[in-house]
């Protein structure tokens, strides 16, 4: 399992479990656990059940992302990121409507309202996945995201709506946020710049 995958997952999650590392890299739990243990032994991660980046790990991650960036066609990825922006605006509206209704917290007692929002999310994903595939062609390390988006939708379809936007799970919104972060890093942008431009999730 790539060091970059694990270290990046630790940065994005804050605290990373082997299960989360496995999901982030689309590998089995044994491979993920071995990678986490190795990076902990190397001083790049710290903690027991859940790990987080050490200063050395954060520095190593920056080096690995910078190295990966040199292998990416920045112009091609930048054009794809421009396409991503319109989907991002749509997702923000969907998540807002899921969490709020009429300016008040959505209590999720209106099944018809909630289903309409979920239908919009499914329609968004249908149009978004071809773009994800094209982004993965430019940045193959991001391939596990296609599976993670699909799994979140499957969980929602099975009735677990915490997979819409719950922060501590691999919810659709969580996966989207992390995918966005990956694109920002690969293009050498910053979250602050994107937030100022209105493109933060």
């Amino acid at each position: 399992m790539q060091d970059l995958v694990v270290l990046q997952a630790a940065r994005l999650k804050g605290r990373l479990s082997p299960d989360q590392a496995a999901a982030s890299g689309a590998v089995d739990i044994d491979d993920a656990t071995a990678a986490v243990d190795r990076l902990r032994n190397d001083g790049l991660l710290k903690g027991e059940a859940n790990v987080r980046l050490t200063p050395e790990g954060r520095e190593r991650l920056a080096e690995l992302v910078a190295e990966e960036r040199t292998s990416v066609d920045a112009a091609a990825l930048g054009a794809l990121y421009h396409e991503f922006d319109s989907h991002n605006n749509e997702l923000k509206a969907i998540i807002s409507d899921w969490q709020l209704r009429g300016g008040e917290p959505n209590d999720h007692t209106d099944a018809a309202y909630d289903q309409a929002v979920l239908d919009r999310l499914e329609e968004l994903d249908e149009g978004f996945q071809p773009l994800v595939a094209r982004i993965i062609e430019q940045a193959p390390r991001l391939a596990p995201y296609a599976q993670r988006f699909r799994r979140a939708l499957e969980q929602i379809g099975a009735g677990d709506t915490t997979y819409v936007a719950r922060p501590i799970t691999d919810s659709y919104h969580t996966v989207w946020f992390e995918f966005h972060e990956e694109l920002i890093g690969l293009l050498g942008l910053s979250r602050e710049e994107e937030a100022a431009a209105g493109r933060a999730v």
Side-chain angles (χ1 to χ4, degrees):
M1 189 175 184
Q2 294 178 351
D3 291 2
L4 174 53
V5 172
V6 181
L7 295 174
Q8 181 76 307
R11 182 183 79 82
L12 294 171
K13 299 291 187 187
R15 290 183 175 274
L16 180 72
S17 70
D19 284 342
Q20 291 171 324
S24 295
V27 300
D28 64 42
I29 187 65
D30 290 340
D31 286 346
T33 300
V36 168
D37 288 346
R38 175 173 52 77
L39 291 169
R40 183 195 292 115
N41 291 337
D42 289 344
L44 303 180
L45 296 172
K46 62 181 178 181
E48 293 304 322
N50 295 328
V51 295
R52 61 187 187 278
L53 286 174
T54 63
E56 294 80 9
R58 194 168 296 278
E59 181 177 337
R60 178 57 179 154
L61 174 59
E63 293 171 355
L64 291 170
V65 171
E67 181 181 330
E68 182 183 43
R69 195 180 298 132
T70 65
S71 68
V72 173
D73 184 333
L77 188 60
L80 294 172
Y81 185 63
H82 182 72
E83 291 184 44
F84 171 83
D85 194 32
S86 64
H87 293 287
N88 192 48
N89 289 334
E90 188 176 353
L91 180 80
K92 286 192 289 186
I94 290 170
I95 297 301
S96 177
D97 289 344
W98 178 256
Q99 296 174 330
L100 299 171
R101 187 179 180 190
E104 299 293 331
N106 181 10
D107 60 12
H108 301 293
T109 58
D110 187 334
Y113 174 87
D114 279 3
Q115 188 58 54
V117 177
L118 296 178
D119 289 346
R120 287 165 56 201
L121 180 61
E122 187 171 350
E123 290 170 9
L124 165 69
D125 184 77
E126 185 176 347
F128 179 56
Q129 284 308 316
L131 177 60
V132 173
R134 289 160 59 208
I135 289 172
I136 289 168
E137 289 178 2
Q138 297 296 325
R141 180 177 60 81
L142 305 186
Y145 279 92
Q147 179 179 323
R148 293 174 66 195
F149 280 121
R150 184 167 58 251
R151 182 174 183 275
L153 277 185
E154 288 171 351
Q155 294 297 317
I156 294 167
D160 189 348
T161 56
T162 62
Y163 276 83
V164 175
R166 190 179 185 190
I168 62 172
T169 65
D170 231 18
S171 67
Y172 198 93
H173 185 250
T174 296
V175 178
W176 189 286
F177 173 85
E178 294 181 10
F179 189 67
H180 193 182
E181 282 287 307
E182 296 277 19
L183 295 176
I184 288 171
L186 284 170
L187 289 168
L189 305 172
S190 73
R191 168 61 59 171
E192 292 73 22
E193 289 171 340
E194 293 305 283
R199 289 189 288 266
V201 175

